[in-house]
């Protein structure tokens, strides 16, 4: 049963990247086509997948219903939404919300820019822990021992000439992020994208999410991207306040 479940989940993960034919799915899962077809028929019966006229399989409406329900239950997404929408409207740039869970940093929400260049990021996609501003913000809030353990386990893939590729360098960067209260991705994940991110705090002061502004270098220079930081910080402070966080000098109404 557990083996069948694992195969069915692998099929759903593959379909998350786009429609697939039976042969492709069988090759990916590594089992005979009859086994995959049996799993697909069960998934079809429960509306987790559907088959089009060209006999390709797609994610079905039950998957989207579950996805929507999961997102609705993520309170921080709903709290942050109006603030991030205003930030996106005022800057015209791509705005992301990300969270750290299960050892991974994932996009929880995204607001696209007004310009023609689009980022490949999407809700639910994992981010490299060592090469994105949101991930740096979230890792910087971890207790020191846990932070070091997480960093030591990272596979330091070099995405661009600016990518951090050593544990000690990343730990030093995270210490700076924790001290200054924001992080920068200076073309470290994609050569043409710069990003600045800031933390969202809950009522306990813990960082529960991070928001970012991402800008292609053909749109704004690095200096102009950094000019957006005060507006981003104001946005994350407002989200944090709605989450119950109070900074020193403020009182609860």
């Amino acid at each position: 049963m557990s083996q069948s479940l694992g195969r069915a989940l692998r099929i759903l993960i593959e379909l998350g990247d786009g429609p697939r034919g039976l042969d492709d799915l069988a090759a990916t899962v590594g089992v005979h086509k009859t086994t995959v077809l049996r799993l697909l028929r069960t998934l079809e019966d429960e509306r987790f997948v559907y088959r089009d006229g060209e006999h390709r399989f797609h994610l079905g409406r039950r998957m989207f219903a579950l996805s929507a329900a999961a997102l609705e239950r993520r309170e921080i997404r709903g709290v942050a939404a109006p603030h991030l929408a205003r930030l996106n409207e005022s800057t015209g740039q791509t705005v992301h919300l990300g969270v750290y869970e299960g050892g991974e940093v994932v996009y929880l929400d995204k607001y696209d820019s007004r310009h023609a260049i689009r980022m490949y990021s999407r809700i639910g996609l994992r981010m490299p822990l060592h090469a994105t501003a949101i991930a740096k913000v979230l890792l910087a809030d971890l207790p020191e021992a846990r932070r070091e353990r997480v960093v030591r386990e990272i596979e330091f893939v070099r995405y661009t000439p600016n990518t951090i590729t050593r544990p000690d360098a990343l730990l030093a960067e995270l210490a700076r992020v924790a001290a200054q209260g924001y992080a920068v991705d200076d073309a470290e994940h994609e050569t043409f994208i710069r990003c600045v991110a800031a933390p969202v705090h809950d009522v306990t002061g813990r960082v529960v999410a991070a928001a970012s502004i991402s800008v292609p270098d053909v749109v704004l220079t690095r200096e102009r991207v950094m000019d957006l930081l005060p507006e981003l910080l104001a946005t994350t402070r407002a989200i944090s306040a709605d989450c119950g966080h109070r900074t020193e000098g403020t009182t609860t109404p």
Side-chain angles (χ1 to χ4, degrees):
M1 179 63 71
S2 61
Q3 189 177 55
S4 295
L5 177 60
R7 289 169 176 169
L9 291 174
R10 181 69 183 277
I11 289 171
L12 294 175
I13 291 169
E14 287 299 315
L15 294 181
D17 290 330
R20 297 283 192 274
L22 179 60
D23 289 342
D24 286 343
L25 289 171
T28 298
V29 178
V31 296
H32 195 273
K33 287 190 293 184
T34 56
T35 301
V36 173
L37 186 59
R38 184 173 65 252
L39 294 170
L40 285 166
R41 284 173 175 165
T42 300
L43 293 170
E44 276 188 289
D45 290 342
E46 298 297 330
R47 304 295 188 267
F48 284 103
V49 304
Y50 74 91
R51 188 175 355 190
D52 64 22
E54 298 178 354
H55 302 288
R56 295 184 306 168
F57 292 89
H58 304 247
L59 291 178
R61 67 173 183 267
R62 179 67 66 82
M63 283 296 302
F64 294 107
L66 288 175
S67 175
L71 288 173
E72 287 173 4
R73 284 161 175 75
R74 294 302 300 269
E75 183 180 359
I76 185 63
R77 184 173 186 263
V79 170
H83 299 282
L84 298 180
R86 284 193 292 270
L87 181 64
N88 170 253
E89 178 64 25
S90 65
T91 64
Q93 307 302 333
T94 301
V95 172
H96 291 110
L97 181 70
V99 293
Y100 181 77
E101 55 182 29
E104 297 177 341
V105 174
V106 297
Y107 292 107
L108 189 60
D109 211 347
K110 179 185 180 183
Y111 296 78
D112 281 312
S113 67
R114 291 197 292 265
H115 46 72
I117 301 174
R118 289 288 186 267
M119 296 185 63
Y120 80 95
S121 56
R122 65 177 186 272
I123 296 172
L125 189 69
R126 291 179 295 177
M127 305 175 220
L129 298 182
H130 63 298
T132 55
I134 283 181
K136 291 178 186 178
V137 167
L138 295 169
L139 293 185
D141 186 63
L142 296 177
E144 186 174 353
R146 185 179 175 196
R147 184 195 307 173
E148 290 195 12
R149 186 167 63 251
V150 169
V151 168
R152 300 297 177 188
E153 294 175 353
I154 291 175
E155 181 182 358
F156 282 86
V157 176
R158 180 182 289 279
Y159 296 99
T160 78
N162 292 349
T163 303
I164 296 173
T165 56
R166 301 191 325 274
D168 59 335
L170 180 57
L171 287 169
E173 173 76 355
L174 296 179
R176 282 191 293 271
V177 170
Q180 67 193 13
Y182 66 89
V184 176
D185 165 6
D186 193 6
E188 297 166 41
H189 187 211
E190 298 176 270
T191 56
F192 60 96
I193 297 288
R194 289 190 175 91
C195 178
V196 60
V200 173
H201 300 267
D202 67 7
V203 67
T204 69
R206 186 172 62 93
V207 174
V208 292
S212 70
I213 301 174
S214 300
V215 189
D217 57 7
V218 297
V219 175
L220 293 178
T221 63
R222 187 186 190 284
E223 291 72 22
R224 294 283 303 281
V225 173
M226 295 307 298
D227 287 342
L228 300 175
L229 177 59
E231 190 169 358
L232 173 64
L233 290 171
T235 297
T236 54
R237 282 195 296 267
I239 298 170
S240 299
D242 283 354
C243 290
H245 180 63
R246 293 291 181 269
T247 57
E248 289 187 24
T250 63
T251 58
T252 302

